[in-house]
Amino acid sequence: DGGITQSPKYLFRKEGQNVTLSCEQNLNHDAMYWYRQDPGQGLRLIYYSQIVNDFQKGDIAEGYSVSREKKESFPLTVTSAQKNPTAFYLCASSLGGVQDTQYFGPGTRLTVL
Amino acid sequence: GDSVTQMEGPVTLSEEAFLTINCTYTATGYPSLFWYVQYPGEGLQLLLKATKADDKGSNKGFEATYRKETTSFHLEKGSVQVSDSAVYFCAPGSNYKLTFGKGTLLTVNP
């Protein structure tokens, strides 16, 4: 079955540590996205990538980094510079057209202790 | 940039009641319009979409019509079920990005 996988589902880290969230898709989609979801604030775009080896900052990129070395993978690193990293992180992908539907993974809940 | 105003929740209805969740947007150009649904602890699922003015998206009894003149995309369902309890997000899409509303929590009681 085609889809998007995110791992792990729950992640705990100590303050000051970097952590990497995994996102893999086998839909053969060109574009991939990372969103952050906080209670009552909807989803906010962190980074997106329209093609391999290229990515752009979204609305809240500070304290995050990404790479896009393979079409199917778009890992997100939450660095120690991110002041309030506890949140639900969602990865999505789309074919890549301007108005294509985005398909979402199940999410990773990150908690900073 | 794009923005969206979505009806504040939570919305609580009895089973078989009529549902409307209002959504208005501002966007540059001519966006596609989406409704997504999120069940507790899960990612978002596409509920329906419309890509041009006067198009009606529909799925699982839900409908929404692309109203360009009023920049609106209100979600409706004639008879809700307990299984429809979830958070609903309106999102215009343009320039390769979606802009999400804050979401509307719907609870349907038996």
Side-chain angles (χ1 to χ4, degrees), chain A residues 78-89:
Chain A
V78 184
T79 75
S80 57
Q82 170 49 234
K83 297 193 185 313
N84 186 20
T86 295
F88 190 47
Y89 290 88

Side-chain angles (χ1 to χ4, degrees), chain A residues 47-62:
Chain A
Y47 268 98
Y48 64 104
S49 168
Q50 295 174 28
I51 198 166
V52 174
N53 292 322
D54 187 41
F55 49 83
Q56 288 78 41
K57 292 182 179 179
D59 301 318
I60 56 164
E62 185 176 351

Side-chain angles (χ1 to χ4, degrees), chain A:
Chain A
D1 288 338
I4 303 173
T5 56
Q6 291 185 244
S7 60
K9 188 168 179 64
Y10 299 96
L11 188 57
F12 299 88
R13 79 156 215 216
K14 293 182 179 179
E15 198 168 339
Q17 291 180 337
N18 292 353
V19 62
T20 297
L21 282 60
S22 168
C23 178
E24 304 277 335
Q25 54 97 1
N26 61 2
L27 299 168
N28 201 31
H29 285 172
D30 284 317
M32 297 186 75
Y33 308 80
W34 274 106
Y35 293 90
R36 169 182 172 136
Q37 185 177 24
D38 296 284
Q41 293 196 42
L43 279 71
R44 293 180 290 170
L45 182 65
I46 304 173
Y47 268 98
Y48 64 104
S49 168
Q50 295 174 28
I51 198 166
V52 174
N53 292 322
D54 187 41
F55 49 83
Q56 288 78 41
K57 292 182 179 179
D59 301 318
I60 56 164
E62 185 176 351
Y64 300 98
S65 66
V66 293
S67 62
R68 186 84 187 278
E69 297 176 0
K70 298 187 295 183
K71 187 176 184 177
E72 58 271 22
S73 179
F74 191 41
L76 173 74
T77 297
V78 184
T79 75
S80 57
Q82 170 49 234
K83 297 193 185 313
N84 186 20
T86 295
F88 190 47
Y89 290 88
L90 288 157
C91 178
S93 71
S94 73
L95 282 170
V98 172
Q99 298 178 345
D100 279 334
T101 300
Q102 291 185 22
Y103 296 89
F104 284 80
T108 292
R109 186 166 299 280
L110 172 65
T111 302
V112 175
L113 304 172

Side-chain angles (χ1 to χ4, degrees), chain B residues 44 76 105-106 108-109:
Chain B
L44 275 67
E76 296 182 337
L105 173 63
L106 170 66
V108 180
N109 295 318

